[in-house]
Amino acid sequence: MICQTLPMSSVQISPSILSADFARLADEVGAVPSADWIHVDVMDNHFVPNLTLGLPVVEALVKASPRPLDCHLMIADPDRWAPGYAEVGAGSVTFHVEAARAPIRLARSLRSAGARAGMALKPATPIEPYEDLLGELDMVLLMTVEPGFGGQKFLDVVLPKIRRTRQMINRHGGSVWLQIDGGVAADTIERCAEAGADVFVAGSAVYGAEDPDRAIQALRAQAEAAGARLA
Ligand code: DX5
Ligand code: ZN
């Protein structure tokens, strides 16, 4: 197992390489030194109607990336496939609860393989049935677009769920990270931070920018300022 350093700051930015140049992935992950994580969207054309990359590419990226990998698995049967991503050294592995048969067992196997365990919810999936699972998790990912593609419009309708999830996490002691993924950009990140998110995935807003690293710095400053207004 390869160990990757874990970031400590409260606002974290995880740029998604879905919007990067797939022919130059090593260069693209090297172009964002301000990132806390590198978000890797694994899609299998079953759970979502799109196909990206899988375990061999992730294994190569673990070695090429200066930052730990945050693998978001949009795949069917994560019970079978997700632990492999932890075993090759991804720092965080997130499965979709809609696809998992045994989410508690799966989260435990991710942790015992050395990764942080994340659980993702599509926009219309409620968080309430999963409150008792928080102790098994290191992160909850709330999708703010339907999973499958980058560059979609942020779904404001998810904001109340972000607030409720933050309250739930705080009741449990606050150690679970709350990640938002989909349509996060300069015009939406403050609303997410004010609702209680602390880890922000951004694909097109980072890799579509002229200077991806500066885009990360600007998004972080916005999220920190919005969080400070809350405190
Ligand atoms: C979508 C992926 C996202 C995607 C976000 O299903 O999970 O991580 O890359 O892209 P943007 O930030 O462009 O919405
Ligand atoms: Zn994602």
Side-chain angles (χ1 to χ4, degrees):
M1 225 224 52
I2 299 153
C3 274
Q4 296 185 303
T5 319
L6 299 177
M8 295 303 287
S9 97
S10 60
V11 166
Q12 299 182 64
I13 309 288
S14 187
S16 165
I17 56 166
L18 188 60
S19 294
D21 180 348
F22 271 27
R24 301 172 44 253
L25 283 181
D27 294 339
E28 295 281 67
V29 298
V32 286
S34 299
D36 298 288
W37 296 85
I38 299 294
H39 187 83
V40 181
D41 289 303
V42 176
M43 305 187 192
D44 67 349
N45 204 29
H46 291 276
F47 182 71
V48 287
N50 196 4
L51 185 65
T52 54
L53 49 82
L55 193 56
V57 176
V58 167
E59 189 168 10
L61 271 177
V62 165
K63 297 180 192 119
S65 175
R67 288 283 172 268
L69 300 190
D70 162 31
C71 289
H72 175 195
L73 305 182
M74 286 160 278
I75 61 173
D77 203 0
D79 304 71
R80 175 173 175 193
W81 300 110
Y85 290 83
E87 283 157 17
V88 300
S92 176
V93 178
T94 298
F95 60 88
H96 267 269
V97 72
E98 301 90 349
R101 277 188 309 244
I104 296 171
R105 185 174 61 203
L106 178 52
R108 288 181 181 179
S109 72
L110 293 172
R111 282 176 159 181
S112 65
R116 295 178 60 89
M119 185 179 78
L121 280 68
K122 300 204 292 185
T125 303
I127 184 67
E128 283 73 14
Y130 305 107
E131 177 162 5
D132 290 343
L133 270 62
L134 287 179
E136 306 287 341
L137 300 168
D138 299 296
M139 185 167 81
V140 171
L141 186 174
L142 298 182
M143 293 296 306
T144 40
V145 297
E146 290 297 342
F149 301 93
Q152 301 182 75
K153 191 173 171 330
F154 179 82
L155 294 172
D156 287 277
V157 70
V158 182
L159 284 168
K161 182 165 70 174
I162 300 174
R163 282 187 215 103
R164 293 197 305 275
T165 306
R166 167 49 60 198
Q167 289 163 359
M168 206 176 267
I169 288 171
N170 288 350
R171 279 203 297 278
H172 279 257
S175 62
V176 180
W177 295 349
L178 178 50
Q179 183 177 70
I180 303 303
D181 183 8
V184 174
D187 60 339
T188 54
I189 195 167
E190 294 180 15
R191 274 176 279 167
C192 296
E194 282 165 4
D198 53 10
V199 188
F200 303 88
V201 176
S204 46
V206 169
Y207 280 107
E210 185 106 351
D211 183 337
D213 202 56
R214 278 185 69 107
I216 290 172
Q217 293 166 18
L219 288 169
R220 186 192 304 284
Q222 277 189 282
E224 284 177 348
R229 282 200 295 277
L230 265 187

